[in-house]
Amino acid sequence: DRSATFRGRRAIQSYWQAQIAGKQKNIRFRHVLGDMVVDSEQRKAVVKWMAEFDNYRFAAHGDRPTEKRVRFVQLAVLHFSKETNQIIFLEEYKQSTSDKRYAWPSLETSEDRLQAMFRMEPTAFEDPGRPCQCECCGQNFTSRNGLFTH
């Protein structure tokens, strides 16, 4: 499902088996506890986590699968059934950090630093990034973080 929404236990299980169990190996995971929100009246939760793993892509026509190390931050909205407390609707969003342009920390990084990095606070990264210029007014900035706050 390209929209990353899965309705019903069968759809969630099928997604999990095909995408997670079927393609990911050597998984490292960290739940970001400070960003979890639970609404017991509406039976919903919003959770955030970091993960890194080897992702296997299976090519068409019998070609050999390719492997890529993936790192990302992901957020999910979970809806729970009233009867069984099981997830009945899953909606996922992610920010990939596999690209070399991201300087995300290891999963062992402190909670405070993680929060600063997720919010792209200018002082959160050791490498401030490349200088850039605002296309609207021409003002120069030492990094894209500075430009974004402008």
Side-chain angles (χ1 to χ4, degrees):
D1 181 347
R2 290 200 172 277
S3 67
T5 58
F6 306 93
R7 290 170 179 79
R9 299 287 301 161
R10 183 171 290 141
I12 295 168
Q13 182 179 20
S14 179
Y15 160 72
W16 192 266
Q17 287 176 336
Q19 296 298 319
I20 311 305
K23 293 183 179 179
Q24 300 175 6
K25 307 288 183 224
N26 303 316
I27 299 170
R28 294 188 65 225
F29 172 90
R30 176 171 174 182
H31 181 218
V32 182
L33 292 170
D35 282 347
M36 185 170 69
V37 178
V38 177
D39 183 335
S40 58
E41 288 183 20
Q42 293 198 29
R43 309 195 58 76
K44 294 181 185 178
V46 177
V47 295
K48 183 189 284 184
W49 65 92
M50 294 175 65
E52 52 185 67
F53 52 86
D54 296 326
N55 190 45
Y56 294 89
R57 294 184 182 260
F58 297 96
H61 311 296
D63 293 337
R64 298 188 74 182
T66 59
E67 177 184 330
K68 176 182 177 184
R69 188 73 180 163
V70 175
R71 296 178 73 200
F72 65 72
V73 177
Q74 189 151 9
L75 184 90
V77 179
L78 311 171
H79 298 238
F80 298 89
S81 77
K82 291 179 182 175
E83 300 79 26
T84 63
N85 287 326
Q86 292 183 329
I87 300 169
I88 56 172
F89 182 80
L90 168 65
E91 183 178 353
E92 291 186 333
Y93 303 90
K94 75 175 183 177
Q95 178 176 4
S96 176
T97 60
S98 300
D99 196 302
K100 291 180 178 150
R101 65 188 170 124
Y102 291 98
W104 289 99
S106 72
L107 299 179
E108 289 77 25
T109 301
S110 74
E111 187 75 15
D112 289 340
R113 178 133 188 249
L114 282 179
Q115 292 299 329
M117 294 180 96
F118 293 152
R119 290 171 176 78
M120 301 299 279
E121 293 176 12
T123 58
F125 297 91
E126 294 171 13
D127 177 5
R130 295 181 306 215
C132 57
Q133 187 176 56
C134 177
E135 294 177 1
C136 296
C137 70
Q139 183 175 346
N140 291 315
F141 294 91
T142 57
S143 71
R144 289 175 53 91
N145 282 342
L147 173 63
F148 291 147
T149 56
H150 167 63

